[in-house]
Amino acid sequence: MNKLLVVLILSFIGNSCNNTHDKISIDKIDLNESKEFFFGDANLMYEANEINTTLNLTYTKEVNRFKYGRVEFTNSKSNSMAWSKIGVLTESINNDKLVGVVLSIEDSNESIAILKELKKINGEPKNLKPVPTENNEGQLLGYAAYVWSLKNNLSIVLSQSYEYTNGKRVIASLIYIVSNKTRTGKLYNNELVVNRLLRTYI
């Protein structure tokens, strides 16, 4: 076989392996890392006040750069009605200190997998709201919510919503990994963010 061809094949295989291993593991994220480490060269968007935490959110729709445990995420299709996204929380736009991570998953299979992986890595959660029961038409509508209190002074709050699109059951997930010490701004009573999240989903 041509030596140049062998080199090209080995190079391709090496790059493929690196792409898999280079994904950021959210379950191992250190909030002392920088935004640059977290996002790399991803296209970024911003929200001045993320609705459930009141904090600044910097996020990307390029979720395929990340994984949680063994669960790898896929980017939403360009024609999707709702997009999966991942972001980091900071106390202000100009502040680079990370105080939390937000992950929105709009894929049913990934939502099912992430709940199993969260339990596998962190143990059984406290149920904030149980999975809704099916109605008379056999439809599952509403949401369930869970919380994990971790030993490293972080909490994980997961909300999973159940709805139907084109007659098909859809499960979406919204995950917050936040520092237990972080507070909302003075305009929002300066309460602990984790307590605000718990009030939201109980």
Side-chain angles (χ1 to χ4, degrees):
M1 185 181 290
N2 186 296
K3 289 184 179 180
L4 179 58
L5 182 58
V6 172
V7 170
L8 289 174
I9 292 173
L10 291 175
S11 176
F12 175 77
I13 293 172
N15 286 335
S16 299
C17 292
N18 287 339
N19 289 339
T20 299
H21 295 304
D22 286 348
K23 291 180 183 288
I24 297 293
S25 296
I26 305 171
D27 54 303
K28 298 177 181 176
I29 193 66
D30 182 350
L31 293 184
N32 292 317
E33 297 288 358
S34 64
K35 287 183 186 178
E36 289 76 17
F37 170 83
F38 192 83
F39 290 116
D41 59 355
N43 293 319
L44 301 180
M45 285 154 277
Y46 306 90
E47 286 181 23
N49 296 101
E50 194 275 331
I51 187 168
N52 289 324
T53 62
T54 77
L55 301 175
N56 175 255
L57 176 67
T58 304
Y59 68 94
T60 182
K61 296 176 181 178
E62 298 173 32
V63 296
N64 63 339
R65 295 168 172 263
F66 304 89
K67 64 180 181 176
Y68 189 96
R70 295 185 299 176
V71 179
E72 298 185 2
F73 307 110
T74 53
N75 293 345
S76 300
K77 295 179 180 178
S78 58
N79 61 349
S80 297
M81 296 181 63
W83 291 66
S84 293
K85 61 185 181 181
I86 185 167
V88 295
L89 297 166
T90 56
E91 293 178 343
S92 66
I93 293 176
N94 297 322
N95 191 336
D96 283 336
K97 178 174 171 50
L98 309 186
V99 294
V101 176
V102 182
L103 174 61
S104 177
I105 303 172
E106 298 294 338
D107 182 274
S108 296
N109 290 330
E110 290 177 14
S111 288
I112 293 169
I114 194 63
L115 177 56
K116 291 180 180 177
E117 195 71 1
L118 281 164
K119 289 180 177 180
K120 179 180 178 182
I121 292 175
N122 305 296
E124 288 296 318
K126 176 182 178 182
N127 285 2
L128 298 175
K129 192 172 181 68
V131 175
T133 55
E134 293 184 349
N135 60 21
N136 294 333
E137 298 175 354
Q139 292 186 327
L140 195 62
L141 299 170
Y143 72 93
Y146 314 86
V147 62
W148 288 262
S149 297
L150 307 184
K151 294 179 180 179
N152 56 355
N153 210 28
L154 296 176
S155 291
I156 301 175
V157 178
L158 164 65
S159 169
Q160 290 197 320
S161 60
Y162 301 85
E163 55 190 55
Y164 285 78
T165 302
N166 297 325
K168 183 180 179 181
R169 180 179 292 175
V170 176
I171 307 172
S173 299
L174 184 57
I175 302 170
Y176 293 89
I177 306 173
V178 295
S179 166
N180 292 332
K181 297 179 179 179
T182 301
R183 294 184 176 273
T184 62
K186 293 181 180 179
L187 292 176
Y188 301 93
N189 300 322
N190 201 31
E191 69 175 317
L192 290 170
V193 168
V194 67
N195 287 348
R196 181 181 173 90
L197 288 171
L198 295 181
R199 285 196 298 104
T200 299
Y201 291 111
I202 289 177

